[in-house]
Structures are given as C-alpha cells and as structure tokens.
Amino acid sequence: MKKTILMLFLVFSSIIYGQSEKIKISGKLVDENNQPLPGASVLVKGTNSGAVTDFEGSYSILVGNASSTLTFTYIGYDQKEIAVGNQTTVNVKLTPTNNTLNEVVVVGYGTQKKSDVTGSVTSLSKERLSQLPVTNVLQSVQGAVAGVTVTQSSSAPGSGTSAQIRGASSISASTGPFIVLDGMPFSTTGGSLNDINPNDIESLEILKDASAVAIYGTRGANGVILITTKKGKSGKPVIKFNTYTGIEQFSNRINPMGPAEYVQKYADWKTQSGSRDTNVLPNLFEQQNYANGVVTDWIDQVDQLGKIQNYNVSISGGSESVKYYISGDLLEQKGVLKGYNFQRGSLRSNINAKITPYLDGGVNLFLTNNNYDGGHTNLTLAGRMSPYGSLYDANGDYEVYPMFGELVFRSPMARLNSPRNDRNQNITANAFFDLTPDFLPGFKYKLNVGYTLVPSQFQSYLGRDTGDLLGTALVANSETRSMTVENIFNYNKSWKNHTVGVTGLYSAQQTDFFSSTTSASGFINDQLSFNNLSTASSTSASSQGYKSNLLSQMLRLNYSYASKYLFTATARRDGYSAFGSNSSKYGLFPSVALGWNISKEKFLENSDFVSNLKLRASYGLSGNQAINPNVTSSTASTVRLPFNGVSTVGVVANVLGNKDLTWESTLGTNVGVDFELFNKRISGTIDAYSTDTKDLLLLRAIPVITGYSQVLQNLGEVSNKGLEISLKTTVLNKGNFRWEASANFATNKNKIVDLYGDKKDDIGNRWFIGKPIGVVYDYKQVGVWQVGEDPSGVDPSAKPGDLKFADTDKSGTITPADRVVLGQTAPKWTGGITNTFHYKDFHLNVFIQTAQGMTKSNNVLDYRDYGGRQNLPAGVGYWTAANQNNTRPSLAYTNSRDYNYPKDASYTRLKDVTLSYVANAKVLDKLHLGGLTIYMSGRNLVTWTKWFGWDPEADFDKGQALDTNSYPLTSVFTIGTNITLK
C-alpha cells in the first residue's frame, strides 16, 4: 500500500514539475510588407496546443520545453516552422504562397478555391488595389489583366473609363461588362464605377468565359466584373487613415505655331491661294497687336497646375456576434485645364451580425456625391487662336472674339465663368440574411434585398460674355430607382472522394427611370441665368421615362472527384419585360465546363518540374439584353409645321416598332490551363477562346412608302477569337532582396460574319463582312501632288499641294469607290509587364502597358485653315512649292473628300511607378502604430508612339462645344501614406 501511494506521489510530482517547467513564448506575425496578420494560427508541433494572433498579429503560447517547435500558418501564405530553443520571443514574417491554385476567388453567387474553378476567372492583384492611387477602380485594371481592354477616353477630373472583355460582341448595343457589387447588380442601377471608392474594395474578379458568365444570363455576354468591398473582423477596433496628394501636368504638350511661324503661315497661304491681301495678318485685332508687339500663349492661358488630394478614414472590428466596417472618403481634383474640377464625397457602412447560431444578417450602405460644377476652358480653341489675338477687352473681361473681325472662333476662355452645375448622387442599401439550419447539414439559404436611388442634376447658362447675345439656359434632371430581391440556396455534400455543390437562384429586379429637360433662350439680361426660365422669350421641354422588370431562375451544379476531376453545369432563365410581345420574353442560357487537376495524378505527385497543373474546358450560351425599354413600339418625332398661318407642333414617323425583338445570344468555347512550375517559382494561365454572337440588333432601312424609314431587327452576327497568357515569377530571391515579375498578353480577332442576312457590306456605317466592327475606311494616301506632275487623268480637280490618293479600284479616276479598310480601331494585341523589387522595407513597382495594331483618324492633323485664319500645330508642317513636302498638304487644300488622316495609334506606356516604404515591427512599436506605409507614385510617365497628338488612346475631339472630349492626357505625381492606429 505504501509503495502504491509512493508511486502515485512520484507520478503526480512529475506532472506538477513538468507543468511548472513549461515555457511561455510570445511574438508577432507580419506579412511580407511587415503588416500584422490577425487570425493566424500558432501550433506546438505534435500537440493540440495552439493560439491565434490578435488584430495586431501578436500571440502568446506555452510550450513543453526548449526542444519544442512552433508551426505558423495563415491563409495565402507559406507555412513556417521554428524551433524554440532558448528564445522566449519569436517574431515571424510569412511570405505569400506561390500556390495560386489554392487561392479563394469570388465567383457568381459564391466563392471557390481556384483549383476547383472550371471557368475562366481572373483576380486583380491586391497590390494594385491597395498601393495605386486611382479615382476609378478600372484604372487599376488597365493593362494588368489579359483579355480586358480598358480605355480612358479623357483624363478630365472625374471622367469615367470603359472596358471590353474579349472584344466587342455587339454592333449597336452596349459592349461593356456587367458589374456586380457585393453580390448585387450594379450596372443596371444607373450608377457608375466612379461612385465606388477604390479604398473600400477588398477584391475584384473578372469572369470571361461562357461557364463563368452564363450564370448571369441575358447580362453576361460581355463579361462580368465582381467587386467585393471590405468587411469587419472580430477583435479590437482597427482605425486606418489613408491620404495622398499630388500634382498633374500635361503628359504630352502639342504647341501651336509661335508668332513668327504664324505670320509666315499667313504669307504662305496668300501665295498658295492667290490672295491679294497686303496685311501681315488677316484680322483687325491681330493687326493691332502685331503692330504693338502684343502676343498671347493661349495654351498657357488655359493651362494650370492640376492638383489632386484624397482623404480616407475607416474603422473596422467587432465581436464574434457583430462585425463592422465604416469608412468616409473625400476626393478633390483640379484639372490641368482651368475650370475642370471634380469632388467626390462618399460614406460606407458594412455590418455583419450573427443573430442566432443558425441565422446571420447584414446591411451594406453607401452614399456617394459627385460634383463637376464649373465652366470650362477649351483646349481645341486654344490651339486655333492666333498668337496675336486679344485675351481681354477694354473692360478687363475676356474678349469673346479674340481675332475680331473673325467671328467663327470664340475665346477658349469665354465659358470659364459661365454658371454651370453638374451633380449626381448614388444612394444604395443592401440587406441580407443567411440561414444555415442544423437539421439540414450542408444547406444554406440567403436572402438579398437591394435598393438604389441615383438622381442627377444639370444646369447651365450661356450669356453675353460667351458671345450668346440672346442668353441660353438649360436645366435637366433625371432619376433612376432600382430594386432587387434575390433568393439563393446552396447545398454541399461530401462523401469519400465525392463532393457535390448545388446553387439555386430566384430573383426579381425592377428599374424605374425618368428624366426631363427644359431649354430656354431670349433673356433680357444675364442676371437670373438658369434660375427663372419663365423670363425667356422662348422655351422648349422634353421628358422621357420607362420601367423595366427582370425575373430570373438559375441552377448550378459543381461536382468534384478527389479534387482531380471537376464538372460544372449551369442553366439560367431570364425574363425581361422589354423584349417584344410576339417573342418569348424568357431565354434559357446553359453552360457546361470540365476541369482536370493533372498534378494530383500519381505520375506527377513527386514531379520536380510541375508543382500544379490544371486543364479547363467550357462551352455555353450567354446573352445581351441589348434593347432598351419601349423600343419595340413605333416612335415619332416632333416637328413644327405651319397650320392656318400658325406654327404648330406636329409629329412625323420615325422608327417602326418591332414586337419580335429579343436578346442577342453569344455561344462561346474556352480551353485553358493553369500551372505552377519549378517548385512554384513560375505560375500562369493560358486561355484560348472562340465566341459567336447572333441576333445582333440593327436598324434596317425599309421603303418609305410604309411611312417609316427604319426598323430595328435581330439580324447580325459577330465572332471573336483570341489567346490570353498571364505569367508570374520570382526572378531572384536572395537575402533581403526579392525581384518578382508578371506579364500578360492577349490577342483578339473580331469579325462581322453577317449584317442583314445577305452577306453584304454596309458601307454607309463602315461595316464590312469579314472585318472588325470598328474600322478606318478611307482613301489611301500615297503622297502629295508636286509641281510638274499632271493629276488631270486621275484627279482632275487636284493641283500641286493637294493630297494624292491611290486608285485602288483601277478605274483610272479617284472616286469614293477607292476607299479601303486601312485598319481597325481596337488593338490587335495588348500586354503589360510588372516588375516589383523588394529590399528590406522598401518596395519598387514598375508597370508598362502596350496596345498594338490599332489605327485611328487623327483629328489634330485634319486642319481646315478657314482661309488662313486659324493657328495650326507647330511641327506638323505643310506643303510649299519650295519644300515639296510629300506627306502634308498645302494650306490652300480644301479636303473636299473629307479625308480623315488615319494613322497608326499603337503605343507603349510607362503606366505607373510606385516606391513605398513599409515600416517593420520594431519601427511600429516605437511609433505605437499598427501599420505605416509611405509611398510616392507616378502615373502616365512616358509614352512611346508614332502618333502625333495629345494621346493615341483617347479620341481627341476637334469640336468647339462646351463639353467635347478635348482634354489632354495627364501625368500624375502623388505622395501618400497609409496609417493603421494601434
């Protein structure tokens, strides 16, 4: 008995002794940028003892003895093991895993591991989302994602961007992608991507192929962009303050002729045109200023140093029951042209709550206010002004006609002080409930309800100081209301090597739009501007409105065997109220996809060359709603006609209605491969696709005897084929230095297959069978007629200095039949290269993009000299009998054939460079901060191109109106900081 008691005592003592010998280890986990990793797992290897890091990345844990080993893991990062030894503090930096196939990506109505995705889905890197100061999130996408062509038609403050995914699939309807924000439709609510604060975005995924987009039915044919905003995490409140400020300037400056060159130009024009004018310059003000030596640099007058600043504050956190993310953002931008301003203020609140053990809920709210107020200067007019024009009149105000008595060109400054309000708002609220009942394991039901209100207001007034002697006011208002209700269920079941997932949807959406416009002219004075339209001598008003409804049902089946063999089948049925009453308002859009994770096969399990390898193939049908509400009805336009001696408003037939209209349908095939090679050092994706879009909506001419001249019908057919390649690699990783590189390349061949069912071209609209939708169709210039050459046989009206064109049809005479397709307006291929260099706490990111194989009409070269009375771009040159220029015409050339000077618009651009410093844990502890990043960034730094003009990407407008697209490409230089409070 005594021996037994003694034995128990010794065992108990050893247990107590062992416990007293346990060692407490503490430390901090950070990522590659020295940012804390909250929620990371810390485990004592070989035991069940573990801990989780807090919101600062800190942890503490007890280990048995000095020979223990700690294992650190975090999603998206490589696991790390460290022997404790004599340490009591173990700080760890985890590096991102190169296993991209294990990343979780957002897909339609859910998420999946990338290794399980069978469709073509691309995620925008988080580095571009978090470290690039942009005003519109598509600016981050531009050039960075294969197969996505993003175009910024203007650099004006607050201007939007457009995107095409895998080419244009429609001729007359929208070709832009469908936008989904936090699971809810965004494209159809009347808002724009300018309404979304980039600082609030957590992830952005792009769905490309039929398998990925068919789940969105009649709205998926042009691709889908899924945007997910940030959510709160459990833990202490995390307060972040992000701000940047910067300057903007012309990226490329096109100067007009200087005073001496301008005077010589007028002298040459007089010689070439046979003018007998003895004056040095043509107009009174010019002659006076020339005599007095007064000159004006008009580009300098409209130019200013642009400025941009952004302030963003967010707070997130919560408990296991309630999590929250709240942010406020203010963006202010002053353009490089005087009068161009943009201000955006936004608020967001995302709240998630665990109401019961089986019921979760949440509310996402955001409010955005956009303000574009102010009259604008005009860059086009500034380029046309004589350097001897008068900037001010006798009263010190801007001279309306600087080249008086020339009355064609008004001052580029004239509308700078005109009253002009341009504002819109976006008010969006989404609520959701997630039900996961205990009695049905694997089942989940989600209810989404969304409401969006987008009002806009525009008021402007042009008075006497702009040259409008009557005074003209315009007031326009619009409002879009949209409501969406979605019922979604998911069921997942796994047994042995089998995994099945089913997703179902029943949804309804209603959109209500109304707008009204009132214009008035003939005011006694300019005092009231647009504030009292009833005082005008004449007014006119118009309004329009519509209401549309969409009902949808969807079912998706995912099957996986041992994570090696994957199958996805999707079918969506959409019913759209705007489709014709004689056709079915419902369309069915099915798709299937297969995937094979080859690297999980035994013959590749121990491969040193292949780390991961997956093949994908998909085939399916998607749609484009294409038609707007009410277009199935016959329409008439108003006209004023005399009736009994009185001017009366009447109506005339316009477009014949068509009750058979339906959606445009796209049948697509995609084959792809995802891979990781050389121990995950190289990863990438290759996709090849082919799509065929039928039932394109086109306006078809009909005999006027019907009372109408056109009818809208489903007629045309377009195809797109292309190849996309994306690569990412770690070039060098040695010591404190790491060099990472990524590249993307994409081609697209767009072709019109048919137009009106007769395989014939439509020359009037420049649509040609077998050619892309957007082409340049013009004469082929082969030189300039020189002195001594005889054009009488080919071009009888031509004279020396006129452009010489090729007789392409060999008729012996230059006629409109000699016009040919000279190129396409969309690039034949695009690409981008990113190099990122890391050295200790410093990071340098350099991104270059390119767009090649596109041709555009060059408006800068297409000058009409109006009898020698306008300025021209310096350096362009013109023909004279002395210089015998063989590319540019004479000043007297009238361009009677309306030649548009098509030129190669291909370019390569140093798009952005960012240098950042990310404070390490020691620095953060000294500063008592949770995170600190300081960065400098430059955007649109250098462009290599043969194009002569402001920007080969943008379609620079040669017009003179108030809001034409005559804004130059800008280079932006910013400095900013991101601070996380402790």
Side-chain angles (χ1 to χ4, degrees):
M1 182 69 178
K2 289 182 179 180
K3 289 183 178 179
T4 302
I5 294 174
L6 180 61
M7 289 283 294
L8 290 173
F9 176 77
L10 290 174
V11 170
F12 181 75
S13 299
S14 65
I15 294 174
I16 297 296
Y17 178 79
Q19 288 182 342
S20 65
E21 286 296 307
K22 284 193 173 183
I23 305 170
K24 182 179 180 181
I25 305 296
S26 60
K28 188 171 185 177
L29 264 71
V30 296
D31 62 13
E32 75 281 10
N33 296 321
N34 294 316
Q35 297 297 310
L37 291 175
S41 173
V42 184
L43 184 69
V44 181
K45 189 175 181 179
T47 73
N48 294 323
S49 178
V52 177
T53 58
D54 61 19
F55 82 100
E56 294 178 345
S58 300
Y59 74 94
S60 64
I61 192 172
L62 293 174
V63 301
N65 50 58
S67 62
S68 298
T69 298
L70 295 179
T71 302
F72 302 89
T73 57
Y74 190 77
I75 295 176
Y77 288 78
D78 288 333
Q79 179 177 294
K80 201 166 193 176
E81 293 186 354
I82 296 179
V84 172
N86 297 324
Q87 305 175 89
T88 57
T89 300
V90 179
N91 293 320
V92 179
K93 177 186 285 189
L94 297 183
T95 56
T97 179
N98 286 327
N99 189 355
T100 57
L101 297 182
N102 284 333
E103 295 175 359
V104 176
V105 297
V106 179
V107 295
Y109 305 103
T111 60
Q112 282 184 300
K113 285 176 61 177
K114 194 166 184 179
S115 60
D116 294 335
V117 174
T118 54
S120 180
V121 181
T122 302
S123 299
L124 184 66
S125 69
K126 293 187 181 297
E127 289 77 12
R128 288 195 67 79
L129 278 172
S130 62
Q131 298 179 9
L132 192 66
V134 294
T135 60
N136 184 300
V137 68
L138 281 185
Q139 294 169 351
S140 299
V141 178
Q142 188 173 31
V145 178
V148 182
T149 302
V150 176
T151 303
Q152 186 159 1
S153 59
S154 173
S155 293
S159 60
T161 52
S162 61
Q164 275 189 357
I165 298 176
R166 295 186 167 181
S169 59
S170 181
I171 292 178
S172 60
S174 170
T175 59
F178 182 57
I179 310 296
V180 178
L181 177 65
D182 288 330
M184 300 294 283
F186 185 76
S187 293
T188 55
T189 61
S192 74
L193 286 176
N194 264 7
D195 300 334
I196 303 175
N197 171 23
N199 289 295
D200 290 335
I201 296 177
E202 176 68 23
S203 67
L204 185 148
E205 273 80 24
I206 299 169
L207 314 184
K208 300 177 183 178
D209 73 329
S211 175
V213 304
I215 198 170
Y216 290 100
T218 57
R219 299 177 292 187
N222 298 322
V224 181
I225 296 179
L226 305 179
I227 298 175
T228 304
T229 58
K230 296 175 180 178
K231 305 294 188 294
K233 299 177 181 179
S234 58
K236 293 171 59 178
V238 177
I239 301 174
K240 293 185 177 181
F241 174 68
N242 301 336
T243 182
Y244 65 82
T245 185
I247 59 173
E248 300 181 6
Q249 63 186 32
F250 287 0
S251 180
N252 178 40
R253 187 183 179 100
I254 303 299
N255 288 310
M257 292 178 173
E261 193 178 4
Y262 182 76
V263 170
Q264 182 61 49
K265 177 192 73 73
Y266 186 61
D268 290 335
W269 176 83
K270 288 189 293 183
T271 299
Q272 295 173 2
S273 63
S275 172
R276 298 182 179 180
D277 184 9
T278 59
N279 294 307
V280 176
L281 293 171
N283 299 305
L284 177 61
F285 282 5
E286 292 179 275
Q287 295 163 11
Q288 292 174 348
N289 289 330
Y290 177 78
N292 296 324
V294 177
V295 296
T296 300
D297 187 329
W298 292 96
I299 300 295
D300 273 352
Q301 290 300 320
V302 299
D303 179 24
Q304 65 182 2
L305 184 66
K307 296 180 181 179
I308 185 171
Q309 52 186 337
N310 179 255
Y311 305 94
N312 180 267
V313 178
S314 68
I315 178 171
S316 63
S319 62
E320 292 299 324
S321 298
V322 179
K323 301 178 181 66
Y324 58 87
Y325 172 85
I326 301 171
S327 76
D329 188 89
L330 177 63
L331 171 70
E332 292 184 341
Q333 192 174 6
K334 182 178 76 172
V336 297
L337 296 183
K338 293 177 181 177
Y340 281 86
N341 300 287
F342 174 61
Q343 185 180 80
R344 180 181 66 205
S346 65
L347 294 171
R348 171 171 286 276
S349 173
N350 293 344
I351 299 175
N352 295 44
K354 193 168 190 62
I355 302 171
T356 70
Y358 54 84
L359 181 63
D360 294 345
V363 177
N364 298 335
L365 304 170
F366 81 86
L367 165 66
T368 300
N369 182 74
N370 298 311
N371 187 316
Y372 303 84
D373 288 357
H376 299 162
T377 53
N378 190 295
L379 182 61
T380 299
L381 285 172
R384 294 183 175 186
M385 285 295 111
S386 165
Y388 291 104
S390 295
L391 179 61
Y392 299 107
D393 62 17
N395 298 322
D397 299 322
Y398 290 123
E399 180 63 62
V400 177
Y401 299 103
M403 298 186 294
F404 187 85
E406 171 59 64
L407 301 181
V408 174
F409 302 113
R410 298 181 184 180
S411 171
M413 320 297 292
R415 293 176 174 176
L416 182 59
N417 298 319
S418 298
R420 180 179 177 277
N421 295 331
D422 185 1
R423 305 168 187 175
N424 63 72
Q425 296 81 39
N426 190 323
I427 305 164
T428 296
N430 298 330
F432 65 89
F433 294 94
D434 284 335
L435 178 66
T436 53
D438 293 336
F439 62 86
L440 191 56
F443 179 83
K444 182 178 180 180
Y445 166 76
K446 184 171 187 176
L447 173 66
N448 276 343
V449 180
Y451 179 80
T452 298
L453 171 64
V454 180
S456 67
Q457 311 85 36
F458 180 85
Q459 302 100 24
S460 71
Y461 182 80
L462 300 178
R464 278 72 178 173
D465 55 357
T466 68
D468 191 328
L469 300 181
L470 296 177
T472 301
L474 177 67
V475 175
N477 298 282
S478 70
E479 186 176 272
T480 304
R481 297 174 182 268
S482 180
M483 185 168 183
T484 304
V485 178
E486 293 184 335
N487 297 273
I488 306 168
F489 77 85
N490 288 279
Y491 180 73
N492 294 284
K493 176 70 173 179
S494 297
W495 71 99
K496 295 184 180 179
N497 289 324
H498 306 277
T499 300
V500 175
V502 180
T503 301
L505 166 77
Y506 182 84
S507 71
Q509 183 177 357
Q510 183 178 86
T511 302
D512 195 350
F513 171 80
F514 182 81
S515 69
S516 62
T517 302
T518 304
S519 60
S521 65
F523 294 88
I524 297 176
N525 56 50
D526 301 329
Q527 299 304 309
L528 294 176
S529 69
F530 49 71
N531 294 306
N532 192 342
L533 301 186
S534 64
T535 61
S537 60
S538 66
T539 59
S540 63
S542 64
S543 63
Q544 60 173 318
Y546 65 79
K547 182 179 291 186
S548 66
N549 297 284
L550 181 73
L551 288 176
S552 306
Q553 304 91 40
M554 181 275 297
L555 190 66
R556 177 176 62 200
L557 171 67
N558 290 316
Y559 172 75
S560 169
Y561 178 80
S563 295
K564 288 192 293 187
Y565 312 117
L566 313 171
F567 172 77
T568 301
T570 304
R572 174 153 176 157
R573 181 174 180 262
D574 276 343
Y576 183 42
S577 62
F579 294 147
S581 57
N582 288 348
S583 61
S584 173
K585 291 183 179 291
Y586 284 89
L588 181 64
F589 304 93
S591 72
V592 293
L594 299 172
W596 180 21
N597 278 313
I598 305 175
S599 54
K600 292 184 180 293
E601 299 288 355
K602 290 184 178 180
F603 59 82
L604 281 179
E605 277 185 349
N606 300 315
S607 172
D608 295 328
F609 173 65
V610 177
S611 303
N612 283 291
L613 181 64
K614 182 176 73 171
L615 293 180
R616 296 176 282 103
S618 67
Y619 179 78
L621 185 70
S622 56
N624 187 355
Q625 286 181 1
I627 63 175
N628 294 318
N630 304 332
V631 300
T632 58
S633 302
S634 298
T635 60
S637 57
T638 60
V639 63
R640 283 198 168 270
L641 299 170
F643 185 76
N644 289 334
V646 179
S647 178
T648 305
V649 176
V651 295
V652 294
N654 188 8
V655 177
L656 180 64
N658 184 356
K659 296 182 180 180
D660 297 322
L661 294 181
T662 186
W663 58 90
E664 300 177 347
S665 56
T666 298
L667 191 64
T669 303
N670 187 94
V671 178
V673 56
D674 304 323
F675 58 87
E676 293 176 336
L677 308 175
F678 302 111
N679 197 25
K680 305 175 185 178
R681 186 162 183 169
I682 298 176
S683 61
T685 297
I686 301 175
D687 278 280
Y689 64 88
S690 175
T691 63
D692 188 49
T693 304
K694 296 184 178 181
D695 299 323
L696 297 187
L697 284 170
L698 295 172
L699 278 172
R700 184 174 189 174
I702 57 177
V704 293
I705 195 172
T706 62
Y708 297 87
S709 60
Q710 293 176 312
V711 62
L712 193 64
Q713 290 183 297
N714 292 100
L715 291 169
E717 183 178 350
V718 169
S719 71
N720 283 279
K721 292 180 173 63
L723 176 70
E724 300 168 357
I725 302 175
S726 297
L727 295 173
K728 185 176 181 180
T729 182
T730 300
V731 181
L732 184 64
N733 188 1
K734 188 173 183 180
N736 293 319
F737 180 78
R738 188 170 79 255
W739 175 12
E740 298 170 336
S742 62
N744 70 83
F745 168 83
T747 66
N748 176 263
K749 185 176 182 180
N750 177 258
K751 182 175 69 173
I752 297 176
V753 179
D754 197 8
L755 289 169
Y756 306 113
D758 53 10
K759 299 292 183 178
K760 292 183 179 179
D761 299 334
D762 184 338
I763 296 178
N765 285 310
R766 291 175 166 79
W767 298 331
F768 301 91
I769 305 300
K771 300 294 183 182
I773 292 175
V775 297
V776 174
Y777 178 67
D778 214 327
Y779 297 92
K780 183 178 180 180
Q781 184 190 346
V782 293
V784 176
W785 289 105
Q786 303 295 338
V787 176
E789 292 183 318
D790 181 13
S792 59
V794 177
D795 195 353
S797 63
K799 58 184 182 297
D802 286 0
L803 293 181
K804 182 191 295 184
F805 300 111
D807 178 20
T808 59
D809 68 348
K810 307 302 181 182
S811 65
T813 306
I814 302 300
T815 67
D818 289 307
R819 292 174 298 171
V820 293
V821 174
L822 298 174
Q824 62 185 64
T825 56
K828 292 181 180 179
W829 66 272
T830 58
I833 298 176
T834 302
N835 284 283
T836 306
F837 307 94
H838 308 272
Y839 180 72
K840 293 185 176 179
D841 301 331
F842 293 90
H843 313 273
L844 176 65
N845 182 281
V846 181
F847 174 54
I848 298 174
Q849 69 153 144
T850 188
Q852 299 293 321
M854 54 186 177
T855 303
K856 291 184 177 181
S857 298
N858 194 329
N859 291 328
V860 173
L861 300 179
D862 186 15
Y863 59 76
R864 315 294 173 89
D865 200 24
Y866 293 92
R869 295 173 296 169
Q870 69 162 333
N871 208 342
L872 305 175
V876 174
Y878 52 85
W879 179 93
T880 66
N883 66 33
Q884 297 286 294
N885 190 311
N886 201 39
T887 58
R888 302 294 300 146
S890 73
L891 296 169
Y893 179 60
T894 58
N895 197 7
S896 59
R897 291 189 173 89
D898 200 25
Y899 178 66
N900 289 302
Y901 298 88
K903 298 294 179 182
D904 182 8
S906 303
Y907 69 90
T908 299
R909 178 170 292 158
L910 179 56
K911 191 63 181 179
D912 51 71
V913 177
T914 302
L915 175 64
S916 60
Y917 165 76
V918 181
N920 58 45
K922 291 182 179 180
V923 174
L924 294 177
D925 288 339
K926 290 180 180 179
L927 297 175
H928 301 288
L929 294 175
L932 173 64
T933 300
I934 301 172
Y935 63 88
M936 295 183 294
S937 179
R939 188 166 178 81
N940 297 328
L941 300 179
V942 182
T943 300
W944 296 276
T945 181
K946 296 179 181 179
W947 182 264
F948 181 89
W950 293 97
D951 180 23
E953 178 185 356
D955 294 324
F956 192 82
D957 198 330
K958 61 183 178 182
Q960 301 179 43
L962 174 63
D963 288 320
T964 55
N965 180 26
S966 57
Y967 197 95
L969 178 71
T970 58
S971 296
V972 186
F973 303 90
T974 56
I975 182 169
T977 182
N978 301 333
I979 300 173
T980 302
L981 301 183
K982 199 167 185 177

